[in-house]
Amino acid sequence: MTTAPHSHHVDVPKGALIMAGFLVVSSIAITSAARIMQLPPAASPVLMRAEQKVAPIASRQLRFSDRADGAVVIEDVTTGGIALLLEPGTNSGFIRGVMRGLARERRMQGITSTPPFDLTLWKDGELSLTDTVTGRSIELNSFGSTNRATFLDLLTRPETAR
């Protein structure tokens, strides 16, 4: 029994190659034109709020600290009371994830966990968490209503005594 020779050669249609080349060239051209014309990048939510003079509705300064048992203590800096205690194993992954990223940035800059974060609800409905030291701001609305609600709850939650 004889078999026919097998080829691994793949023919790509000439039109597809031309279109792919056109996409690459046009992407480079558009990017170059934007750089040459010095078009400003899209404004950040922080800059847009400042430009539109959007006022805060509610704000709370919070300090997040880890306990040896794995719990996270969220303290209201103004009152000194505990706004929330996230016990190990509780469904608090979003808060822990956001704070882990902010804490990593602080560690890289040699900053301790002592300075507070500002949690602010703005008149336009946006909710932001801002690091008072690094200035980094996280827009919490972009993570969906359920995740936003976990932080929004921290604005109105009464403190418990230490």
Side-chain angles (χ1 to χ4, degrees), residues 51-67:
E51 183 180 287
Q52 297 170 2
K53 296 178 177 63
V54 177
I57 293 175
S59 185
R60 194 174 194 184
Q61 287 201 323
L62 301 169
R63 180 177 297 123
F64 296 77
S65 56
D66 294 321
R67 278 196 334 206

Side-chain angles (χ1 to χ4, degrees), residues 104-156:
R104 181 181 64 238
E105 186 171 334
R106 280 186 173 188
R107 275 193 310 275
M108 288 174 22
Q109 295 183 24
I111 303 167
T112 66
S113 63
T114 305
F117 293 87
D118 282 330
L119 180 61
T120 307
L121 178 62
W122 299 93
K123 192 170 185 173
D124 62 0
E126 295 294 317
L127 183 66
S128 64
L129 182 67
T130 305
D131 188 333
T132 59
V133 177
T134 66
R136 182 173 176 206
S137 182
I138 296 179
E139 299 300 315
L140 298 166
N141 286 28
S142 61
F143 294 100
S145 60
T146 304
N147 288 328
R148 177 187 185 273
T150 61
F151 275 95
L152 186 60
D153 179 56
L154 290 173
L155 278 178
T156 57

